[in-house]
Amino acid sequence: MVKQVSAPIISNTEILPHTYLVWAQAPEITSIAQPGQFVMVRCGESYDPLLRRPFSIHRVANGGQMALLFNIVGRGTEWLSQCQEGDSLDLLGPLGRGFSFQSASHRLLLVAGGIGIAPLVFLAEKALGEGRSITLLIGAQNASLLYPESLLPPSIKLITATEDGSEGKKGMVTELMADFAAQADQVFACGPTSMYQSIAAQHYLKGKSVQISLEVRMGCGLGACYGCTIKTKRGLRQVCQDGPVFELNDIFW
Ligand code: FES
């Protein structure tokens, strides 16, 4: 059931250059949200910008708090970065279909490219709560852009890669996968299209469930405008309603 709520902001912090973590009180949404789902946020005081912006639910806390993680990429996110404790966010959610665990999946491999970590922390926390184990591969351009390890649950096994080699293995995060995919029962990934194309080409993932979260432009987030329609191997799908999580194998690359 989708809710529209006015969520008081608890904190809004720049945790990396141009990357913000905002926590808001939204128990109506956190009580029913699933990892991989998203919210539409009105990013302005008025109707400018007109359209809400989609954000993955980054984390939820027991007290009804919800976190969103975002990069400043335009006017809407610039406005959001300026919001402070005591302001309120106009939210619509939870929306879309999130990640799902196969019942026999105990060892999960999570792969995050840059801001693609956004939906995976909520997923990791839920999985850990169900007794599953998590290996998380994170990649970024350089060490200063890597998501802080201190914000992750300590029981996660974390492996990092940076393109310039300033931390972890030098190279792309997908280059780490070969060492961990064989032991994983299920794989979850979030990042840019180029990362998904690279994962899709890995022969060692054949026959394994790989769920990815797609990021596309969304007009409504509610299945009304058809602006997010994509062609998949199962026919036309709306990312906002049928996704944003899809099986990697169902997408044309
Ligand atoms: Fe409008 Fe998906 S964003 S139908």
Side-chain angles (χ1 to χ4, degrees):
M1 182 70 178
V2 178
K3 316 272 185 185
Q4 181 174 2
V5 302
S6 176
I9 291 177
I10 302 160
S11 64
N12 194 7
T13 313
E14 187 175 18
I15 61 163
L16 297 170
H18 308 295
T19 301
Y20 284 75
L21 178 67
V22 58
W23 279 95
Q25 192 71 32
E28 305 89 339
I29 292 177
T30 61
S31 61
I32 51 176
Q34 295 298 318
Q37 287 190 300
F38 65 97
V39 291
M40 296 293 281
V41 182
R42 183 173 298 293
C43 288
E45 309 273 335
S46 62
Y47 284 88
D48 180 30
L50 180 63
L51 300 177
R52 291 171 181 269
R53 301 278 190 267
F55 296 90
S56 297
I57 299 173
H58 178 54
R59 292 180 68 183
V60 301
N62 285 341
Q65 300 90 356
M66 181 183 69
L68 306 177
L69 183 74
F70 62 96
N71 281 341
I72 298 180
V73 292
R75 263 192 316 145
T77 44
E78 176 70 45
W79 177 87
L80 190 55
S81 74
Q82 301 301 316
C83 291
Q84 297 176 351
E85 180 184 352
D87 295 338
S88 287
L89 292 180
D90 180 347
L91 305 175
L92 205 57
L95 295 162
R97 272 188 14 178
F99 298 105
S100 55
F101 301 127
Q102 295 173 335
S103 54
S105 293
H106 297 296
R107 297 163 302 177
L108 309 186
L109 178 63
L110 276 50
V111 186
I115 195 71
I117 187 67
L120 297 182
V121 176
F122 185 12
L123 176 74
E125 288 180 328
K126 177 163 187 206
L128 290 169
E130 295 177 0
R132 303 173 204 264
S133 70
I134 301 286
T135 300
L136 171 62
L137 313 180
I138 302 185
Q141 285 178 331
N142 58 58
S144 73
L145 298 176
L146 275 173
Y147 186 83
E149 185 173 359
S150 59
L151 296 181
L152 291 169
S155 48
I156 285 180
K157 179 177 179 182
L158 175 67
I159 317 286
T160 58
T162 52
E163 291 174 35
D164 68 355
S166 51
E167 188 171 326
K169 183 177 170 127
K170 182 173 183 180
M172 309 303 287
V173 67
T174 46
E175 293 168 32
L176 299 170
M177 290 182 68
D179 291 339
F180 299 97
Q183 304 97 320
D185 298 316
Q186 215 179 337
V187 180
F188 302 86
C190 187
T193 300
S194 57
M195 186 181 106
Y196 296 145
Q197 288 169 328
S198 173
I199 295 174
Q202 305 305 325
H203 63 277
Y204 52 76
L205 290 171
K206 267 210 163 21
K208 214 175 269 281
S209 167
V210 181
Q211 293 180 15
I212 61 168
S213 178
L214 289 184
E215 186 180 318
V216 299
R217 281 191 169 275
M218 289 188 190
C220 67
L222 295 164
C225 74
Y226 289 90
C228 65
T229 304
I230 60 166
K231 194 172 167 191
T232 74
K233 293 174 187 171
R234 295 170 185 267
L236 296 179
R237 293 288 185 272
Q238 288 171 284
V239 174
C240 70
Q241 285 214 304
D242 302 310
V245 174
F246 292 90
E247 278 288 333
L248 180 75
N249 278 339
D250 288 341
I251 306 297
F252 291 110
W253 299 108

